[in-house]
Amino acid sequence: MSDTITLVNPATGRAFREIPRAGLAEVDAAIAGAVAAQRAWAALAPVARADALRAFARVVEAHVDELAALEVENSGHPIGSARWEASHVAQVLNYYAAAPERLIGQQIPVAGGLDVTFHEPYGVVGIIVPWNFPMTIASWGFVPALAAGNAVVLKPAELTPLTAVRLGELALEAGLPAGLFQVVTGSGSVVGQRFVSHPDVRKVVFTGSTEVGTDVAAGCARMLKPVTLELGGKSANIVFADADLERAAASAPGSVFDNAGQDCCARSRLLVERSVYDRFLELLEPAVQAWRVGDPASPDTDMGPLISASHRDTVAGFLDDADVAFRGAAPGGDGFWFAPTVVLASPGDRIAQDEVFGPVVAVLPFDDEADAIRLANDTIYGLAGSLWTENLGRAVRVARGVKSGVLSVNSHSSVRYATPFGGMKASGLGRELGPDAAEHFTETKNVFFATD
Ligand code: NAP
Ligand code: MG
């Protein structure tokens, strides 16, 4: 294996940078440094850790444009999205900066003494991140982990390491102690696996494919390490006949084509009540045509290229035997472009079951509320979902009936740092974000003080 990783700009297909590929010795050195840094970090006053995270947030805020430009070049994200992502990292830091002073234990009534619980940090947490949202997904792990008193070693995806590397530098610039938050670039089979096998990494957070996540979980089980898994999805966007069809159609392209469909929460199955199926497709077509695919550096762009040539081949393979209803436009040239595509599907089709991770949506009709819930649940995944209806009772029933971790009624929101995020079934284990995320990076210790 080469000792560097070559980065390619997905909008041009051209290589633009080499970065180091860490070997085992470098990973082990990073973990050893993290062990030492964590002891000092956990010993600080809670307010000192809070202040350090607020300082980190301010430095990230001051570098939003730089981080966004790196994501445009490395990942092909549209500049507007990339700026949102960088600002989101600062907001996550500000939100969890409150956590060090609020990791409140319990005082439990017992006979003969005083009983209290403490939220103790694990020590070193290993975080493994995919290429689709390099900054945001990293921050959902490293921020609450640091807030809870842990050190973090972070492995970005080989394809998209630049913003994570820069965040590691900004942490030092903000005054976080050396060793506390380290970004180690390299392959999953070396760096990622070492987080799983190293005895001093006491918790692992993995975001990526269900296949690799299952292996990571098995490895963590052998080491008796807790693991959080954020995996794949095949989320449903359910449109009932009584919905505001214009709004539902106008928002459907963004719900699945955002980030070129390389979004674990993509609403890649569009379930439409049969009585409005034809009408809905008529409304959807102009919305798809209006979805602007092009230069990610342009503020008018809705969608950039796919991440790599091989990923584009994988996505294209899904269209081999598909019934394409209509497609949007995409530029030509050397970038990894793919036009947004709407496919008519039946429940058992591969396009209706497997995660495409590209700008392809499968449309399926349903008959009634029970049929909609049954179809929505007819996949191994259970990450997100949306439903469109003007009937409040139905909205509650369907939201409770769909087995997914994150649902949205009359909108497509999935991620807010203040609310919990994560999947059911093959989409994952555990939750990130929300009020409790820092606690998920602690173990409860119970201490009894005898008074008699
Ligand atoms: P992936 O192939 O599973 O890789 C994810 C990360 O794991 C990368 O950093 C990868 O490193 C590393 N890795 C690979 N093999 C490993 C191993 N044996 N041990 C430890 N780490 C290993 O996933 P991807 O193709 O990058 O990302 C796409 C997938 O992520 C999709 O399925 C998507 O749905 C899922 N995803 C889920 C969420 C969520 O929150 N639920 C969010 C985003 C993405 P290298 O590739 O650098 O070697
Ligand atoms: Mg992969």
Side-chain angles (χ1 to χ4, degrees):
M1 218 187 276
S2 140
D3 58 1
T4 61
I5 298 169
T6 303
L7 303 182
V8 173
N9 180 331
T12 63
R14 279 196 288 278
F16 67 95
R17 178 97 67 101
E18 302 278 325
I19 58 145
R21 183 193 293 281
L24 267 189
E26 286 143 299
V27 190
D28 284 3
I31 294 168
V35 168
Q38 190 269 331
R39 286 196 196 104
W41 177 244
L44 288 178
V47 69
R49 278 185 273 129
D51 282 342
L53 293 174
R54 283 188 277 264
F56 191 3
R58 283 194 296 275
V59 171
V60 172
E61 273 158 17
H63 290 81
V64 162
D65 287 341
E66 185 199 334
L67 288 163
L70 285 175
E71 210 66 279
V72 170
E73 185 173 31
N74 194 174
S75 308
H77 290 198
I79 181 69
S81 310
R83 280 208 192 96
W84 182 91
E85 291 158 27
S87 301
H88 177 83
V89 174
Q91 289 171 335
V92 172
L93 280 161
N94 277 321
Y95 183 72
Y96 290 106
E101 296 182 281
R102 288 176 173 80
L103 280 169
I104 296 163
Q106 291 178 301
Q107 176 268 310
I108 299 171
V110 291
L114 170 71
D115 193 282
V116 291
T117 64
F118 296 89
H119 293 298
E120 302 284 7
Y122 280 103
V124 178
V125 174
I127 298 175
I128 303 170
V129 177
W131 47 259
N132 60 332
F133 287 107
M135 278 187 270
T136 52
I137 291 175
S139 73
W140 305 345
F142 76 74
V143 176
L146 293 173
N150 300 280
V152 169
V153 284
L154 173 78
K155 193 205 99 62
E158 275 172 274
L159 292 171
T160 59
L162 289 186
T163 47
V165 168
R166 189 68 186 121
L167 286 169
E169 294 166 359
L170 295 178
L172 293 174
E173 210 171 288
L176 261 67
L180 187 69
F181 171 45
Q182 298 177 72
V183 179
V184 186
T185 55
S187 72
S189 55
V190 175
V191 181
Q193 267 308 306
R194 192 60 183 142
F195 291 179
V196 173
S197 68
H198 197 297
D200 287 338
V201 176
R202 293 310 316 151
K203 174 168 179 158
V204 172
V205 177
F206 173 88
T207 305
S209 60
T210 296
E211 191 187 0
V212 177
T214 305
D215 274 355
V216 165
C220 286
R222 279 191 290 277
M223 298 296 294
L224 294 176
K225 293 185 193 187
V227 60
T228 300
L229 300 173
E230 299 286 3
L231 309 174
K234 190 74 189 176
S235 298
N237 177 13
I238 310 171
V239 181
F240 286 97
D242 67 16
D244 180 336
L245 295 182
E246 282 74 19
R247 271 183 68 211
S251 66
S255 78
V256 56
F257 302 146
D258 192 53
N259 204 28
Q262 303 166 124
D263 182 338
C264 51
C265 296
R267 273 52 166 187
S268 55
R269 291 182 303 148
L270 180 49
L271 314 184
V272 184
E273 192 159 352
R274 207 178 291 277
S275 59
V276 296
Y277 179 84
D278 291 336
R279 171 80 187 124
F280 192 78
L281 283 175
E282 277 168 27
L283 292 167
L284 182 62
E285 186 161 4
V288 171
Q289 303 302 346
W291 187 251
R292 291 158 303 191
V293 183
D295 180 5
S298 158
D300 297 329
T301 293
D302 293 316
M303 179 181 128
L306 291 170
I307 192 66
S308 66
S310 78
H311 187 55
R312 185 178 54 182
D313 291 345
T314 306
V315 172
F318 278 93
L319 298 189
D320 286 347
D321 47 6
D323 178 5
V324 174
F326 45 87
R327 304 189 74 180
D334 293 332
F336 310 130
W337 303 104
F338 200 89
T341 305
V342 177
V343 167
L344 308 182
S346 304
D349 294 350
R350 188 164 82 102
I351 195 78
Q353 293 292 331
D354 293 0
E355 184 180 48
V356 179
F357 227 52
V360 182
V361 64
V363 190
L364 297 93
F366 66 84
D367 292 316
D368 55 20
E369 191 179 308
D371 195 33
I373 294 173
R374 185 187 60 73
L375 266 182
N377 289 333
D378 179 27
T379 129
I380 60 166
Y381 297 112
L383 185 52
S386 306
L387 56 117
W388 294 80
T389 175
E390 297 294 302
N391 177 329
L392 177 61
R394 164 172 288 165
V396 173
R397 288 190 299 272
V398 178
R400 297 301 302 272
V402 175
K403 274 194 130 355
S404 284
V406 190
L407 285 155
S408 184
V409 179
N410 294 334
S411 88
H412 296 295
S413 94
S414 299
V415 170
R416 272 184 226 85
Y417 56 79
T419 59
F421 175 79
M424 296 178 176
K425 294 155 69 183
S427 289
L429 213 55
R431 292 293 176 269
E432 300 190 289
L433 298 175
D436 304 326
E439 233 175 81
H440 297 163
F441 289 96
T442 66
E443 313 190 77
T444 301
K445 177 183 285 175
N446 188 74
V447 182
F448 172 73
F449 301 83
T451 49
D452 300 338

